[in-house]
Amino acid sequence: MALTVDLTNVVREYRTGGHTVRALDRVTLRINGGEFTSIVGPSGAGKSTLLQLLGALDSPDSGSIQFNGTEIATMTDDQQSTFRRHQVGFVFQFFNLLPTLTAWENVALPMLLDGKRLRQVRADAVALLDRVGLGDRIDHRPAELSGGQMQRVAVARALMMDPPLILADEPTGNLDSSTGAAIMELLRDVSRTDGAGRAVIMVTHDLAAAAQTDRVITVQDGAVRSDVMGRGGGAPGRPPDGGGRHSVGMRDQPTEVIPTVRNGEFTSHVLLSDPPRQRGKHSARRR
Amino acid sequence: MLLAAFSRLKVLNVRELRTHWGRAVASVVVVAVSAALLVAVLGVSGSITGSIDRLATSIGGDADLEVSGITGEGVDESMLGTVAGTRDVRAAVPLIRTRTLADGRPALLIGLGQNASELHSDLQTAIQRQLEQGSPVTSAPDGVIVGAGLGVAKGQRFEVTGSSPLTAMAVVDGPAARRLNDAHFVIAPLALAQRLSGQEGRLDSILVFTSPGADATTVRAALRTAVEGKAVVATPSFRAAQASSSFAILQAMTLLAASVSLVVAAFLSYNAMSIAIAQRRPVISTMRALGGRRRTIMSDMLAEAALVGFLGGLLGSAFGIAIGYLAIGRLPSTMVQTLDARLEYVLPTWVVPLTVAACVVASVSASALAARQVHAVAPIEALAPNGASATEQGSRRLRIASGIAGAALLAVTVGVVTAGLGQIAIASIALSFVGFSALCFAFSGVIIAAAAAVARRFGPAGVLGAATIERAPRRMWVAMMTVLTAVVTTVAVTGATANAVDSTVASFASIAQADVWVSSAAATDYSSTLLPPNTAADVAAVPGVAGVVPDQMAFATVDESRVMLLGIAANSHRDIYTALTPGDRQALLDGRGVALSRDLGTSMKVAAGDQITLQTPTGPRTVRVLALVPYFSGMTGTVAMSLDAMQGWFDRAGASDLEVTVAPGADPDAVRAAIRKVVSPETFVYSGDEALDGVASALDQVIAVITIIAWIVVVVSAVTLLNTLMLSVLDRRREIGVLRAIGATRAFTLKAILAEAAGIGIVGAVLGLVLGAAIQYLTSIALTNVLSIDVAWQPSPSMIGIGLAALAICLLGSVPPAVRAARLDIVDAVSAD
């Protein structure tokens, strides 16, 4: 069954020092399996909050998040843990590998947390490491790996439970550009080759990286400002689902999205490779 | 599921312990200390009672009852007929059993009569061959059977104390012989044994075998009537129960140290777990993000704590067995003097499992409180840079509950201690540690604020240190409690022990007023044997001797308990006599009453003015209790009476001690030397001061054990503190890097961390001194009940030194992390994750 994640009027607020900050403001959005999606936006826009809610790391204050028809917004902590373990794979900016575990043990960690014995899952972990090009590093500890290698281990770990959703938080944020590109390649490969159902969602400040994805969701001030299909060359463009503020849909037309910042405004240029039926500059004022 | 849990424990938790092995070792060591103490004290007490029991069984087999002397002089031989003639007594086997020296080696002298074959015991088995020959034990007039443990060969001539040479007609070995005093025995015909032990016409005991189907209780009552109160009629196991009383004091003090160290171990386990969770917060948040349940992570942490408790318990048990084994051969002579059995190390089988279980429970229980912090680790923290950890103070509700619990525990402790419940009161002191810790948690806000205020006093660097303290209140509280625990333990335990020893020695102070003591035993021992006749007259005739006051000491069975008897004459310096009012002293000397030590009065449930009946070899004596006197005897109590009464009632003519007054102007040393020349070589002569020193030296071993425990706690606390402060620095690498980047010097950074440590150390030390003094006070009350003397609470000036030492350790412990912080590379630190 193809993955579908539906967010409907999701609100998340934080209370700090007597003030309330609305990190997400009635966001409505659909994520589909097979897409490699990036979420971009300035600092404090709500990108990470959106990622946290998608991954059930947190719960919204209101609204609905349906994961293949199952509501995850109101799950208990234990239910969220089980959900994350089986349905989501995480790739973190700072790799988050356990320093005392070897590469294959880090990959096998989700299985360990699922009640499996390490020995039982070694073969699967080694196979995943092989897939990400680290077949000769299985017994190395994180301290013995480069940044790019550590992130590859993290990707392998994210795939260990074969989840339909991969969430990557700034996966190239701590890497140089060539290593980052290699990781992007890996993530794209993950979204393409593992059947039509797996979705990869990446939060990034790296606009060049975002441009390589199938879909770019721009978030600002807690709202989705734009939601366009990118030149990722993958899944055909499909209209994003409406309901949020300033959503823009591009139908069945390959496009190239060039996000930029001009005069203090976060802007994305949409360039169409075919004669445009619709061309425009989309700007979202930053308050 | 269990296998999976074991897999996680091995991979996740054990590796973390190995990475931070210093902290792990410290945790294991502190648990091991308490385990070692528990096993040692239970091993020693088990060895004493076990050895006595084993000997009793080895000699008497399945004897139903035993008739023995009220004092060490045994019973008249004529009582054998009375016992044998009592209804439902099938056999009455007379015995001599007494300690002696065979060619200088300690041995048990056993005298057997013609009906020794009735015994059906290891003794009978050991000499079976001789019995089957149908002869008396041996056919030669000076022939004896010896155990192989004495190293005497068959046919060899050897000597027993005070005898002419004997001949070893047979040497027996084998399992049965080994169970009998480890084959260190000399078996002689009854008459020969009576002569060798100086007990002609007397028996040490009569073993009674009842007729089949007879009720032992009925027979016992009948025997008591038959002996007319002139002997003790009890089951053979009563000797073991009596023996344990000689160990009561050491047991009480060591149990105090063991229970306190177990509480301290639990607290340090709590600390270690708090530090572990703080340090592993990034790992925990990652596991949560990956789908690990809180329950799973928490149970793994508790399994880790259980492992530490288990390892500490096992390690400590091993040490405890070694300590107990060594201690058996080094017990104070006052504790073993009354035992006729050769002490062998016997550890009850339940001791090690119970100790390990107690350590596991303590470690897991304490860690469970800290492990709850796992609940506070949110999975979204995995998205934050590593090392940023929130350390809240703890919810207000939790602190209120902690305050209530702490107050309740303290109230219970005060109640138990003031109710005079003996050793239970000692064990309850450990509760006061828990109570005070809970109160400190309840007031953690105030305590942290105080530490920050102290840190601020150290200038601009102190302001930064104060900010650090206020920002991580829980971690700082843990660090401070580590200092506090070390100070409280040292002050309370060593202080209370010192108070107990000082009070005990002070209670005997009057014996130092005698110029010279002439005694049948050394100053460190009980003088329960009588001096040779004419000793008093010989001493009185020495030039320079102005007066001689005799007294007598003996052990007796009162209400099946082993007590000390003191026969007092006028002008005695014995404290139990000098503590009486002049009227009571006269009444005692006149034989109109006796004085009891307070502990004996409590156990007999009598008060001044009550009548008690004493069993004596000359029949029961009903006397009035003149007073209950605080008096430390090291047994279950002391009965003081007039010397005349003791000599008459207990058929013990003579004296065991002489208090000698030197004439004015005479040289006490010269008089002492002259006295030595006129007394027998086995008689001891020492000054009043030496007599008092002898009392104190018996307690020195206890002090040494307690002091070692306190120092171990201090060292472990220092290691824990170092870990906490190091973690604090590591957590703030980026912050420190930013400070350095904007111009803070290395010296400033160093001072800031030292100011932080000073704030923690000063407040922790001051609080520790106050709480330590309070616990010391409670302990002095508890010890008053156990030791039967008034233990005076005296805060020692050395407390100040302890507080300063704690502060110094805190500052020294902060130097490595402070230096590390000052030397951080700015670029690395600012970009630290």
Side-chain angles (χ1 to χ4, degrees), chain B residues 809-824:
Chain B
I809 290 172
C810 194
L811 289 172
L812 283 172
S814 69
V815 167
V819 167
R820 184 171 177 163
R823 286 185 185 164
L824 279 177

Side-chain angles (χ1 to χ4, degrees), chain A residues 115, chain B residues 1-6 8 293:
Chain B
M1 188 115 124
L2 269 179
L3 289 173
F6 181 71
R8 285 197 310 273
R293 290 187 303 179

Side-chain angles (χ1 to χ4, degrees), chain A residues 141-196:
Chain A
R141 298 253 159 111
E144 298 163 332
L145 301 172
S146 67
Q149 289 171 334
M150 283 197 278
Q151 197 63 296
R152 285 175 185 275
V153 173
V155 171
R157 181 178 65 189
L159 294 170
M160 186 66 197
M161 300 293 279
D162 196 22
L165 177 64
I166 301 289
L167 298 176
D169 179 36
E170 302 276 5
T172 61
N174 232 23
L175 303 171
D176 59 71
S177 55
S178 64
T179 312
I183 294 301
M184 285 297 297
E185 189 63 39
L186 184 57
L187 288 174
R188 193 188 354 271
D189 179 60
V190 164
S191 73
R192 296 266 189 276
T193 60
D194 285 341

Side-chain angles (χ1 to χ4, degrees), chain B residues 657-696:
Chain B
D657 296 280
L658 303 172
E659 299 176 39
V660 179
T661 306
V662 171
D667 178 12
D669 293 333
V671 171
R672 222 169 26 246
I675 291 172
R676 279 204 186 91
K677 289 183 183 152
V678 304
V679 298
S680 67
E682 299 82 30
T683 302
F684 294 82
V685 179
Y686 42 82
S687 67
D689 288 337
E690 286 169 337
L692 194 58
D693 289 344
V695 169

Side-chain angles (χ1 to χ4, degrees), chain B residues 55-64 119-123 207 209 236:
Chain B
L55 181 64
T57 308
S58 298
I59 292 175
D62 52 3
D64 299 294
L119 288 174
H120 304 292
S121 64
D122 290 328
L123 171 61
L207 291 172
F209 297 83

Side-chain angles (χ1 to χ4, degrees), chain B residues 468-536:
Chain B
T468 307
I469 292 173
E470 286 165 337
R471 217 184 55 213
R474 178 170 271 172
R475 188 183 309 147
M476 292 304 139
W477 181 85
V478 166
M480 191 177 314
M481 288 302 293
T482 306
V483 175
L484 186 148
T485 301
V487 173
V488 166
T489 305
T490 309
V491 168
V493 176
T494 61
T497 307
N499 288 168
V501 169
D502 290 345
S503 297
T504 304
V505 172
S507 75
F508 285 92
S510 62
I511 64 173
Q513 292 173 20
D515 294 320
V516 183
W517 283 88
V518 178
S519 174
S520 61
T524 53
D525 297 346
Y526 294 119
S527 50
S528 58
T529 54
L530 295 171
L531 289 167
N534 299 321
T535 303

Side-chain angles (χ1 to χ4, degrees), chain A residues 52 57 77-78 81 84-85 90 92 94 96 98 100-102 105 109 112-113 115 117-118 141 157 169, chain B residues 3-4 7-8 11-12 15 19 283 286-295 379-380 382-383 385 833:
Chain A
Q52 289 160 18
L57 290 172
D77 185 85
D78 270 0
S81 298
R84 285 195 301 273
R85 201 159 63 242
F90 283 97
F92 301 100
F94 297 99
N96 288 40
L98 271 60
T100 55
L101 271 58
T102 61
E105 288 168 343
L109 184 59
L112 200 62
L113 296 172
R117 290 171 61 196
L118 212 55
R141 298 253 159 111
R157 181 178 65 189
D169 179 36
Chain B
L3 289 173
S7 191
R8 285 197 310 273
V11 172
L12 297 174
R15 284 199 200 166
T19 303
V283 168
T286 297
M287 289 200 290
R288 292 277 287 126
L290 295 178
R293 290 187 303 179
R294 283 190 289 216
R295 191 163 57 227
I380 53 174
L383 300 179
D833 37 85

